[in-house]
Amino acid sequence: MVRLHCDAGKDEGLALYFPDQQATRDGTTGPTHEVIRSSRELADSLHSEMMRSLAGKLKDGGVRGDSQTFVGSRQGVLTASIFSLVPIVTIEMVVLSNKADAEFIKSDAGQQEMAQAIADGNQRVSPIARIRPGRAATGGFDFAGT
């Protein structure tokens, strides 16, 4: 699962977040250690490909754990990550409180470049991440070659 978001704050540029630990919300503890590991791999792959497309256009904020977000710092990880049964990544496309980032994402060209970068990243990971048929509800997935 890839979640798209625009951030706010003092930072700037593109950053990808993945669940880096477990947390409990509404009686559910998650994600599993396998989802955490696989989410990190997904985030690294997406980030690498996206930054090839966006180099020089946005600051590279890297790959970060959910626990570094506002919500994650309070509950351990992002809420969607707790409940996820499959690898999950949040792409913070820009920081809207940064003028240059806001101008980039508001422009038609910037939106096209972001969409292409996400598509490029997806092309790279689509042969890597595979859901096992009939097991999605139980979180069954694997990575090609492992």
Side-chain angles (χ1 to χ4, degrees), residues 34 86 129-143 146:
E34 181 65 16
V86 297
R130 295 194 178 116
I131 303 297
R132 292 183 191 153
R135 300 226 16 231
T138 60
F141 54 90
D142 66 8
F143 280 76
T146 60

Side-chain angles (χ1 to χ4, degrees), residues 62-126:
V63 175
R64 305 171 182 176
D66 280 359
S67 62
Q68 295 179 42
T69 66
F70 177 79
V71 171
S73 69
R74 284 160 176 68
Q75 67 183 23
V77 294
L78 295 171
T79 304
S81 295
I82 293 170
F83 295 99
S84 186
L85 300 176
V86 297
I88 183 168
V89 172
T90 300
I91 299 173
E92 291 289 356
M93 298 180 287
V94 297
V95 178
L96 292 175
S97 48
N98 177 281
K99 185 177 179 179
D101 281 11
E103 291 300 319
F104 174 84
I105 205 66
K106 285 193 309 189
S107 72
D108 289 340
Q111 290 172 19
Q112 289 292 340
E113 290 177 62
M114 181 60 69
Q116 187 62 56
I118 294 167
D120 291 346
N122 184 55
Q123 287 295 320
R124 175 164 182 187
V125 300
S126 61

